[in-house]
Amino acid sequence: MHHQIEHDVLIIGSGAAGLTLALKLADFAHVAVVSKEALAEGATFYAQGGVSAVLDEHDSIESHVEDTLTTGAGLCDPGIVQYVVERAHKSVEWLVNQGVDFTRLDTDEDEGNRFHLHQEGGHSHRRIIHAADATGKEIETTLEARVRQHPNIDLFEHHIAVDLITSKNLSKPGNRCYGVYIIDSKTKNVHVFKARKTILATGGAGKAYLYTSNPDGCTGDGIAMAWRAGCRLANMEFIQFHQNCLYPN
């Protein structure tokens, strides 16, 4: 059974990237967020450590960039590193304004509103802001609560994106995306989701490995859909998971 559902913006994926974009667009667009499983069931929820940003007066953008390029062993794109590092502070401020409860110092009244910062591998300063040791869970659940409250965001949980609807699929000229074929995993019905803009925020393919700390949903569906639609892929050799999984016994 086919039904057509139409929005201004269609976001596939409900991790930190997808929910952040939904909240930033929803004030002036009708947004749909499609999630393969429950809204929070993705890699973001299980991330522990924290977020790196220049938040201490003794730290600097230049130092953060240098640390990143050094640790990246020549594999980083300097322009992207500079772009991300320069905007990290404002991104953290935005998360705080959404209600993300990062761990704060409680040593005395004067420092009560300052955030506790870790120093982790590859960093020369304390710049890891965190929510205890469950930072991803705090970010994901906070953003989830916000999108559930927004009247201009429609949520479709337990819906699996099958393929992008492109000009090629429809035998039309050009190279345009019109939406996505999506299956409701509970009813097994396929729906046509149409949108002026379609965004893939589906995460990675960590489950390409038998032993991995990534959740089961990280199967690279979005990457495959993008490839079939003619998008350029890069850095496919990089898959992140906890190093303990290299020794499964």
Side-chain angles (χ1 to χ4, degrees):
M1 183 182 297
H2 289 263
H3 296 287
Q4 287 201 11
I5 303 168
E6 190 162 355
H7 293 81
D8 296 320
V9 180
L10 172 60
I11 300 172
I12 310 297
S14 60
L19 298 187
T20 295
L21 183 60
L23 288 168
K24 291 193 173 185
L25 294 178
D27 287 342
F28 51 88
H30 188 199
V31 179
V33 176
V34 175
S35 180
K36 181 189 289 186
E37 299 178 20
L39 205 65
E41 182 59 28
T44 297
F45 184 88
Y46 295 98
Q48 293 178 293
V51 180
S52 58
V54 176
L55 301 167
D56 185 84
E57 60 183 7
H58 302 296
D59 198 2
S60 68
I61 297 294
E62 293 73 22
S63 174
H64 193 177
V65 169
E66 182 180 353
D67 288 348
T68 305
L69 294 177
T70 299
T71 306
L75 298 175
C76 300
D77 183 320
I80 292 177
V81 171
Q82 186 78 32
Y83 183 93
V84 172
V85 169
E86 286 178 348
R87 289 158 177 78
H89 192 157
K90 284 191 174 181
S91 295
V92 169
E93 287 183 345
W94 183 84
L95 289 172
V96 172
N97 290 335
Q98 301 309 304
V100 175
D101 188 18
F102 291 112
T103 300
R104 298 176 184 267
L105 294 170
D106 57 3
T107 54
D108 56 51
E109 291 184 2
D110 292 334
E111 293 185 330
N113 289 320
R114 290 177 57 194
F115 294 109
H116 182 271
L117 303 175
H118 282 311
Q119 182 176 344
E120 295 185 354
H123 295 280
S124 58
H125 291 79
R126 288 184 173 272
R127 61 171 71 105
I128 311 299
I129 189 170
H130 62 99
D133 195 32
T135 308
K137 179 180 179 181
E138 173 63 22
I139 292 174
E140 179 70 16
T141 54
T142 300
L143 296 181
E144 178 185 6
R146 297 283 290 182
V147 298
R148 289 192 185 281
Q149 294 168 358
H150 203 294
N152 224 18
I153 300 176
D154 294 333
L155 303 174
F156 296 88
E157 299 177 90
H158 305 285
H159 281 65
I160 302 173
V162 178
D163 211 2
L164 300 177
I165 304 170
T166 64
S167 303
K168 182 179 179 181
N169 299 142
L170 302 175
S171 299
K172 291 186 176 183
N175 185 23
R176 181 178 175 184
C177 179
Y178 294 91
V180 184
Y181 294 115
I182 291 174
I183 185 169
D184 182 333
S185 60
K186 292 186 175 180
T187 67
K188 308 305 179 184
N189 291 329
V190 175
H191 305 293
V192 174
F193 279 63
K194 298 174 65 178
R196 294 167 55 199
K197 303 291 182 182
T198 300
I199 292 94
L200 295 175
T202 57
K207 291 301 288 187
Y209 285 82
L210 178 60
Y211 300 106
T212 169
S213 56
N214 288 268
D216 289 342
C218 296
T219 52
D221 306 44
I223 297 171
M225 284 187 286
W227 173 255
R228 290 194 295 268
C231 295
R232 181 172 60 90
L233 305 182
N235 303 321
M236 292 298 293
E237 69 272 31
F238 296 110
I239 295 180
Q240 182 185 23
F241 53 83
H242 200 280
Q243 60 269 26
N244 287 1
C245 294
L246 294 175
Y247 187 69
N249 293 329

